[in-house]
Amino acid sequence: MPESRTVALVTLGCARNEVDSEELAGRLEADGWKLVEDAEKADVAVVNTCGFVEAAKKDSVDALLEANDLKGHGRTQAVVAVGCMAERYGKELAESLPEADGVLGFDDYADISDRLQTILNGGIHAAHTPRDRRKLLPISPAERQEAGASVALPGHGPADLPEGVAPSSGPRAPLRRRLDGSPVASVKLASGCDRRCSFCAIPSFRGSFISRRPSDVLNETRWLAGQGVKEIMLVSENNTSYGKDLGDIRLLESLLPNLADVDGIERVRVSYLQPAEMRPGLIDVLTSTPKVVPYFDLSFQHSAPNVLRAMRRFGDTDRFLELLDTIRSKAPEAGVRSNFIVGFPGESESDLAELERFLNHARLDAIGVFGYSDEEGTEAATYGDKLDEDVVADRLARVSRLAEELVSQRADERVGATVRVLVESVESADEGDGVRGRAEHQAPETDGQVLLTSGEGLSVGRMVDAKVVGTEGVDLVAEPLPGSPEWSEEAGR
């Protein structure tokens, strides 16, 4: 019997890319490939790249080069680039990076097994010529669902695998294969974006906004619960637009309670919310639905009106603070995070001061700060009045220092509070990390963690109530409460 073909998936970038990798893994496993964690143990290393900003692109290139170094020293015979950077640059990436044996775009995902086999056999699959994927779907959102069936939409694979293809998962399994044992998993609500922010190139290579049908999202969530997942995080380029192409802009409000009712799911989190599209009804559902956490990942980007208008965005400091006041009037302990760009073309000292005023009053739990840099193909790249690189660097350092102080202060405000923690890692004290998890106001990888002072009876995937007794920067230190039912069950108390 011939030895199984082996493949490793290396994922960079955001949670949306992680979902795409698990779809690719599902397709490959269904066609007989054996998935391995280490690239050096794989016949083919597939690098799911990020093409968002220069730093992410560099990380993607470094990962491809690192995988290429394995060739000739182990089992690895081929290195293939997929993902946003591969889609965005296509032939250009293939020509500038000959170390990659293949550069595959989104249109290749449905045939990923055949593509990898061709490359593994020494054949060549020509890299695609990039195109503006916004032009592949109708301008009107209402006309997109039918047209979307003929357009490659990563993470939108068929809800079911053919019966018998993946018997271990059952006939209702989605076209997805988990790549780790984490109790948390992302679920795609949609792909693409209809917004035209002047600094962002994502819509050009991810395409126009198109929602997944609620039944597909529910089926995938049920399947994930069966895989041991306790928390799902809903992701897309813009979750507040979910349902507009399905005829119901308020579809998220009705979907969330259904997701929370799925057996085994303890926590539902929504990410990527646009402040200008927040609706009173959505705020109500996010702050009052059991198991849906009051967590608001709001894409503010700046708060000075002049800068926001140049970004093709809406709002200002006072409107944003009013939005936060509305949220906290309904859920005082709600978690809020956001990202900001400093040094945008034309940003004045008074604009920066306005951003600092907002940050000082917003009481955000997590803040990401980025210095502006031109992204090819964006409107902002054509703007005049660019700031010198050293000015951008100084402003980045200045606002980053402020952000670090503010999130630490916000963490201090939670001392004495009771938080519900999902345990994500358990290590003995001599291994250093102890027991760590996340509270409701903390999203995976971006918002800090909770270090539990005791790990007795706790295991990964358990929920435990704990009292916050201290902080370490943005992280919380908390003492498990013996009265927590889940904790008591495991500890035998």
Side-chain angles (χ1 to χ4, degrees), residues 218 251-262 268 285 289-290 292:
L218 273 167
L251 193 56
L252 183 56
E253 287 94 306
S254 58
L255 175 61
L256 285 171
N258 292 330
L259 293 172
D261 284 342
V262 171
V268 178
V285 170
T289 307
V292 175

Side-chain angles (χ1 to χ4, degrees), residues 199-278:
F199 56 83
C200 183
I202 289 176
S204 66
F205 56 85
R206 278 288 185 179
S208 297
F209 186 90
I210 186 164
S211 304
R212 295 181 69 198
R213 294 193 176 276
S215 58
D216 290 345
V217 178
L218 273 167
N219 282 340
E220 186 167 339
T221 299
R222 294 186 184 108
W223 178 80
L224 288 168
Q227 301 289 303
V229 169
K230 300 299 181 182
E231 175 180 331
I232 61 165
M233 184 168 73
L234 302 178
V235 300
S236 74
E237 279 72 21
N238 177 11
N239 281 333
T240 35
S241 282
Y242 178 68
K244 71 177 185 179
D245 52 324
L246 294 171
D248 185 0
I249 190 60
R250 294 176 177 80
L251 193 56
L252 183 56
E253 287 94 306
S254 58
L255 175 61
L256 285 171
N258 292 330
L259 293 172
D261 284 342
V262 171
D263 287 342
I265 295 298
E266 297 292 336
R267 184 181 285 175
V268 178
R269 184 182 304 277
V270 183
S271 61
Y272 304 111
L273 300 169
Q274 287 291 340
E277 297 181 32
M278 290 299 296

